[in-house]
Amino acid sequence: MRRSPSLTLTLLLMGCGASVYAPGLNAGFDPEPDFEISDDDIGKAFAARPQLKAESQVAFYTFDQARAQEIEETLKATKGVRAVYSLPPLLVEGQRALHNDPYAWRREPPKFSMKKLRLLAARARCDLLVIFDKQHSTSYDVNGWIAVVPLVLPILFVPYLDLEVESHLDAYVFDVRNGYLYGHIQVNERDAVDYLTIWGTAAEAEYVEAQWTRLKAQVKASLEGLLSDTALHATPAP
């Protein structure tokens, strides 16, 4: 998310500025609703066993749909993945690509659960379900140079800002058939840049994108390691 210099200036004159981008917070995702959980479900969870194939068909869902295409391309390039299916937001959350509801913030988001995602993945004949949750935050603070800015005009040219950008990406890998959790991949990136002028805040978006590129590469490597783990592969019938 890129701010205009005027907005950033207003925030920073008040002390500091910070923002968090976490699209998953606005989704109606409840992984395991109480009404879906029974003792039988718990017993099935204990009985579930890993059954990876040499190559798997993967369904995925991301709360940040703006990144869906990039995630799909990353999965297609991952060793051990035969085919990829992106679960459509229309079937999961009722979101239409060109629908703009000005009153959406006043309405309760549609509820969906892990079982629904697994069902949609099963309909696409997929072996694995991967759920992606991406967040990033940016924060500004002032440094010692602020002492030399008694007037508004000089503030445009003094490097009195420190920027911190932090990004997180989580990937949860489930077996579609029995719900077995193969792994939780969690990667983080952080950059700190000191002595920026008010014009340097335009670099914020560049750091977010650079971190996103590194996060994708780390998740891809971890996922390849998980899919190649023979201990998680199906045991051949005697």
Side-chain angles (χ1 to χ4, degrees):
M1 178 177 62
R2 178 174 295 179
R3 297 192 193 91
S4 66
S6 59
L7 175 58
T8 305
L9 177 59
T10 302
L11 291 172
L12 294 171
L13 287 175
M14 297 172 61
C16 62
S19 65
V20 176
Y21 178 75
L25 295 178
N26 299 321
F29 181 56
D30 188 347
E32 303 289 349
D34 292 341
F35 67 85
E36 286 189 355
I37 301 175
S38 65
D39 288 339
D40 186 48
D41 291 319
I42 297 172
K44 289 179 179 178
F46 268 108
R49 292 293 181 268
Q51 50 185 355
L52 278 179
K53 300 179 179 180
E55 287 191 327
S56 300
Q57 192 150 308
V58 177
F60 78 92
Y61 190 74
T62 172
F63 296 108
D64 188 356
Q65 284 298 308
R67 304 288 189 179
Q69 183 62 41
E70 297 175 71
I71 291 175
E72 182 172 351
E73 292 171 359
T74 299
L75 288 174
K76 286 180 177 179
T78 300
K79 294 179 182 177
V81 175
R82 182 176 72 253
V84 179
Y85 174 62
S86 176
L87 295 181
L90 176 63
L91 299 183
V92 177
E93 300 184 63
Q95 293 182 13
R96 289 173 172 81
L98 300 180
H99 179 63
N100 183 18
D101 183 358
Y103 301 103
W105 62 275
R106 299 173 57 180
R107 299 192 178 99
E108 187 74 17
K111 298 294 184 181
F112 63 100
S113 66
M114 185 71 66
K115 283 188 176 180
K116 179 176 181 178
L117 296 180
R118 285 175 56 200
L119 175 61
L120 293 173
R123 286 173 176 168
R125 317 306 296 172
C126 291
D127 307 299
L128 299 178
L129 168 67
V130 186
I131 301 175
F132 290 91
D133 185 24
K134 189 262 186 187
Q135 305 175 53
H136 70 256
S137 66
T138 59
S139 61
Y140 290 91
D141 204 352
V142 294
N143 54 45
W145 279 99
I146 192 66
V148 301
V149 221
L151 301 174
V152 175
L153 184 58
I155 205 172
L156 300 177
F157 308 103
V158 175
Y160 73 104
L161 296 176
D162 296 335
L163 168 65
E164 182 177 294
V165 181
E166 191 168 357
S167 298
H168 304 269
L169 179 60
D170 293 89
Y172 302 85
V173 186
F174 295 92
D175 192 291
V176 172
R177 293 175 177 82
N178 61 15
Y180 187 90
L181 175 62
Y182 287 105
H184 171 201
I185 301 171
Q186 185 178 49
V187 291
N188 308 286
E189 285 287 334
R190 178 182 173 276
D191 287 298
V193 189
D194 298 332
Y195 306 116
L196 293 174
T197 67
I198 192 66
W199 309 107
T201 59
E204 174 185 319
E206 296 176 6
Y207 281 101
V208 170
E209 290 304 313
Q211 290 180 354
W212 169 243
T213 299
R214 298 196 296 269
L215 292 176
K216 286 189 299 180
Q218 293 174 47
V219 165
K220 178 177 178 291
S222 297
L223 187 56
E224 287 180 341
L226 186 150
L227 296 179
S228 64
D229 186 352
T230 55
L232 299 177
H233 285 211
T235 303

